[in-house]
């Protein structure tokens, strides 16, 4: 018999620019889905001139940041010297590895809109100290069936593979419908999965789902049945259960408290991560690592 899916409520969190977003991972009841260890859903929202996303320069270690842009435009700048505008339908994938810094800003001084998901992928032990890298993927495979458009953001599905370079067995799909639609999504049975509605409402294998709830499925499933009655969009993530204990603190994913403390000292001293040029927002200050439960991230994670 199939295990009952778990409903996990996202919480609201604030990111740079005073933007309130929904944070679905990490969750009190579930830290990871495969190697996916963080999931923020921003928007859809419209903002006045000067608004939108303004996350000043900040560092990362031990993870990849994976940004899926649905509406709006955000400028990514990093300490490798990359400056990349991400536009709708594109993925930005930044591999922090041993360390990188970046900033993300909606175009300054202009009114606009924003709808995006930003996820982190924990790097496995053998890859987590690799050199940092950044890539923009302007084209992801699209499969259309039953009224749904399935965009393969990461991994493989429907016989199509995403070009995004990842280091664990995982999958990420954006599934959108403009009206009444049905779709059976074949799954890799060894993966665990989770679904998050980004707009509208979708019934996922009998569970009514709307934005703000992450629906988790344990390994052993062969497919999910999606049904929408009107325009809707759903993000599906999955992967081999991550077999390593990770520590997530602020913008760092590591294994030991000392690694986190060292990264905090290095960033606040202006060392190791390099400089990000051109961001209109001020650099963020890493919170001191004192008497904390390293499994719970403080507010202000970006
Ligand atoms: Mn970041």
């Amino acid at each position: 018999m199939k295990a009952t899916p778990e409903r996990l409520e996202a919480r609201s969190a604030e990111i740079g620019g005073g933007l309130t977003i929904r944070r679905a991972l990490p969750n009190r009841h579930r830290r990871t889905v495969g190697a996916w260890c963080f999931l923020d859903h921003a928007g859809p929202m419209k903002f006045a001139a000067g608004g939108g996303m303004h996350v000043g320069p900040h560092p990362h270690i031990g993870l990849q940041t994976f940004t899926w842009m649905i509406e709006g435009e955000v400028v990514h700048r990093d300490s490798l010297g990359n400056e990349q505008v991400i536009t709708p339908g594109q993925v930005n994938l930044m591999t922090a590895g041993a360390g990188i810094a970046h900033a993300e800003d909606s175009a300054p001084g202009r009114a606009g809109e924003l709808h995006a998901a930003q996820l982190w992928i924990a790097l496995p032990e053998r890859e987590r100290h690799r050199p940092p890298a950044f890539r923009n993927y302007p084209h992801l495979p699209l499969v259309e069936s039953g009224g749904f458009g399935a965009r393969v953001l990461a991994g493989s599905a429907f016989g199509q593979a995403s070009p995004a370079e990842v280091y664990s067995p995982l999958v990420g799909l954006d599934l959108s419908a403009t009206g009444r639609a049905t779709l059976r999504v074949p799954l890799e049975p060894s993966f665990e999965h989770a679904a998050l509605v980004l707009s509208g409402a979708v019934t996922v294998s009998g569970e009514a789902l709307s934005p703000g709830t992450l629906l988790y499925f344990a390994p052993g499933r062969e497919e999910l049945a999606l049904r929408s009655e009107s325009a809707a969009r759903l993000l599906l993530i999955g992967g081999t259960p991550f077999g390593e204990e990770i520590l997530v603190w602020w913008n760092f994913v590591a294994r030991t408290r000392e690694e986190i403390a060292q990264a905090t000292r290095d960033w606040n001293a202006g060392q190791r991560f390099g400089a990000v040029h051109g961001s209109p927002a001020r650099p963020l200050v890493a919170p001191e690592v004192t008497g904390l439960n390293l499994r719970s991230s403080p507010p202000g994670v970006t």
Side-chain angles (χ1 to χ4, degrees):
M1 196 179 128
K2 283 178 198 158
T4 308
E6 296 169 25
R7 300 181 77 96
L8 305 167
E9 298 313 307
R11 63 191 193 278
S12 40
E14 196 170 294
I15 61 168
L19 226 59
T20 300
I21 54 83
R22 293 185 181 94
R23 182 157 297 151
L25 284 178
N27 186 284
R28 198 152 55 89
H29 302 287
R30 189 159 291 283
R31 315 303 300 175
T32 52
V33 176
W36 302 101
C37 62
F38 184 90
L39 169 50
D40 270 2
H41 176 209
M45 66 178 80
K46 294 193 186 301
F47 55 85
M53 180 190 278
H54 291 287
V55 184
H58 61 278
H60 288 285
I61 61 169
L63 57 87
Q64 294 179 290
T65 63
F66 188 103
T67 306
W68 168 233
M69 187 61 59
I70 300 159
E71 291 167 5
E73 296 188 359
V74 169
V75 184
H76 159 99
R77 297 179 177 91
D78 68 41
S79 52
L80 300 176
N82 296 295
E83 181 167 328
Q84 175 74 50
V85 178
I86 181 172
T87 61
Q90 299 188 345
V91 163
N92 272 1
L93 182 58
M94 185 180 78
T95 304
I100 195 170
H102 74 148
E104 293 165 297
D105 294 282
S106 298
R110 275 205 277 139
E113 57 188 353
L114 178 65
H115 191 197
Q118 188 174 84
L119 303 100
W120 296 354
I121 303 168
L123 288 169
E125 180 60 36
R126 69 181 179 281
E127 304 286 357
R128 70 189 184 96
H129 302 293
R130 61 184 300 112
F134 171 81
R135 273 192 71 178
N136 169 263
Y137 294 95
H139 305 294
L140 290 312
L142 176 67
V143 179
E144 295 186 300
S145 176
F148 272 97
R151 189 75 71 176
V152 184
L153 307 180
S156 297
F158 303 102
Q160 300 287 318
S162 164
E165 193 167 352
V166 296
Y167 300 95
S168 299
L170 55 77
V171 69
L173 299 176
D174 176 274
L175 301 144
S176 69
T178 54
R180 181 169 295 196
T182 59
L183 180 66
R184 288 190 178 276
V185 182
L187 303 181
E188 164 54 50
S190 66
F191 284 7
E192 56 185 350
H193 292 86
L196 184 72
V197 169
L198 302 178
S199 61
V202 181
T203 301
V204 183
S205 294
E207 294 273 336
L209 201 59
S210 50
T213 303
L214 186 71
L215 189 63
Y216 171 84
F217 295 91
R221 292 238 167 199
E222 302 206 332
E223 65 174 24
L224 291 179
L226 307 186
R227 192 178 78 243
S228 73
E229 300 300 333
S230 55
R233 181 183 292 276
L234 178 132
L235 181 68
L236 180 68
I237 58 175
T240 302
F242 201 69
E244 303 173 32
E245 284 285 317
I246 59 171
L247 298 177
V248 180
W249 172 256
W250 197 49
N251 292 299
F252 305 132
V253 174
R255 301 296 183 276
T256 68
R257 182 198 170 93
E258 179 48 31
E259 286 178 74
I260 303 267
Q262 187 65 52
T264 296
R265 286 194 296 271
D266 289 344
W267 171 252
N268 287 343
Q271 295 168 356
R272 175 173 162 187
F273 292 96
V276 180
H277 298 290
S279 169
R282 284 202 311 274
L284 308 188
V285 176
E288 289 301 320
V289 185
T290 52
L292 53 83
N293 171 8
L294 281 169
R295 286 164 184 279
S296 60
S297 295
V301 170
T302 51

